[in-house]
Amino acid sequence: RMSEYFTRGQEIEAYLNNLKDKPEAFVILDDRDDMGKLKNNLVLTNPKYGITISDVDKALKILNVV
């Protein structure tokens, strides 16, 4: 983590802002929902089960693949 003072969403946002080539689309697969304004890109996973087929389906929809 960058700092205990930043949420994961803030860390991801800072990472994206520092990229030279911005992605057309992205998805966040995480078991925490502290994504702030990136929440529309989040697929919230269950730490007990990990990434499920349903999570994959949601991620593909966010990426406009299906």
Side-chain angles (χ1 to χ4, degrees):
R1 291 183 55 95
M2 287 173 32
S3 167
E4 63 187 69
Y5 303 106
F6 294 97
T7 66
R8 286 190 189 184
Q10 290 169 324
E11 291 177 0
I12 294 168
E13 186 176 0
Y15 171 80
L16 291 169
N17 287 337
N18 286 318
L19 289 176
K20 181 179 176 183
D21 297 316
K22 308 294 186 210
E24 291 180 26
F26 66 93
V27 66
I28 302 165
L29 298 160
D30 206 320
D31 63 355
R32 293 177 49 181
D33 66 352
D34 58 347
M35 296 304 150
K37 55 186 166 177
L38 299 179
K39 198 162 192 118
N40 289 338
N41 298 84
L42 172 66
V43 175
L44 187 61
T45 60
N46 183 321
K48 182 176 178 181
Y49 302 109
I51 299 171
T52 65
I53 295 297
S54 175
D55 295 333
V56 172
D57 290 340
K58 291 174 188 173
L60 292 173
K61 285 181 184 173
I62 290 171
L63 295 172
N64 291 315
V65 175
V66 290

